[in-house]
Amino acid sequence: MFVGIGIVGIIVPGLPTVVFLLMAAWASSHGWPELEQRLLDHPQYGVVIRQWREEGRVPRRAKWLASGMMLFSAVSMQFIPAHALVRVLLPVILLFVAAWLWSRPEPD
């Protein structure tokens, strides 16, 4: 389920992708060990998942991509018919998320 939501997050502004893939890795480690191993063995995503799990590290490229997607989502939200409170709170929340993300250490 989390992998599916993560895939949808690639397309839908405001819906994160990496968070759901991390949750998929966590959930699979408890109920689907084969999927967990498949995610950990993946040539591109496995390294990132292991770095996050072991040391809480996030690559700089991932930080830039996530920040850019959050900025795109915040700007896009201003042009759709949404409640004014949502249009104000979303950028504020995403700013806090970006600040937290950039406070994470980077891999060596």
Side-chain angles (χ1 to χ4, degrees):
M1 179 177 77
F2 289 134
V3 172
I5 295 171
I7 291 170
V8 171
I10 294 170
I11 302 166
V12 177
L15 186 63
T17 300
V18 174
V19 173
F20 286 107
L21 291 178
L22 289 172
M23 289 190 317
W26 173 83
S28 67
S29 70
H30 290 75
W32 194 356
E34 295 85 12
L35 178 58
E36 176 193 26
Q37 196 57 50
R38 186 172 170 191
L39 288 171
L40 291 173
D41 291 339
H42 191 277
Q44 185 176 1
Y45 303 119
V47 174
V48 176
I49 292 170
R50 281 192 300 278
Q51 289 172 344
W52 171 254
R53 278 186 174 180
E54 295 166 5
E55 305 165 353
R57 296 185 182 277
V58 179
R60 182 169 291 187
R61 183 171 187 264
K63 291 177 182 181
W64 279 112
L65 286 171
S67 298
M69 293 178 78
M70 287 187 277
L71 177 63
F72 175 77
S73 297
V75 171
S76 298
M77 184 61 73
Q78 304 308 311
F79 296 104
I80 64 171
H83 194 277
L85 185 62
V86 172
R87 283 190 273 154
V88 171
L89 283 180
L90 180 69
V92 171
I93 292 169
L94 291 178
L95 181 63
F96 279 107
V97 170
W100 173 83
L101 178 64
W102 281 94
S103 74
R104 302 293 89 208
E106 296 178 6
D108 298 332

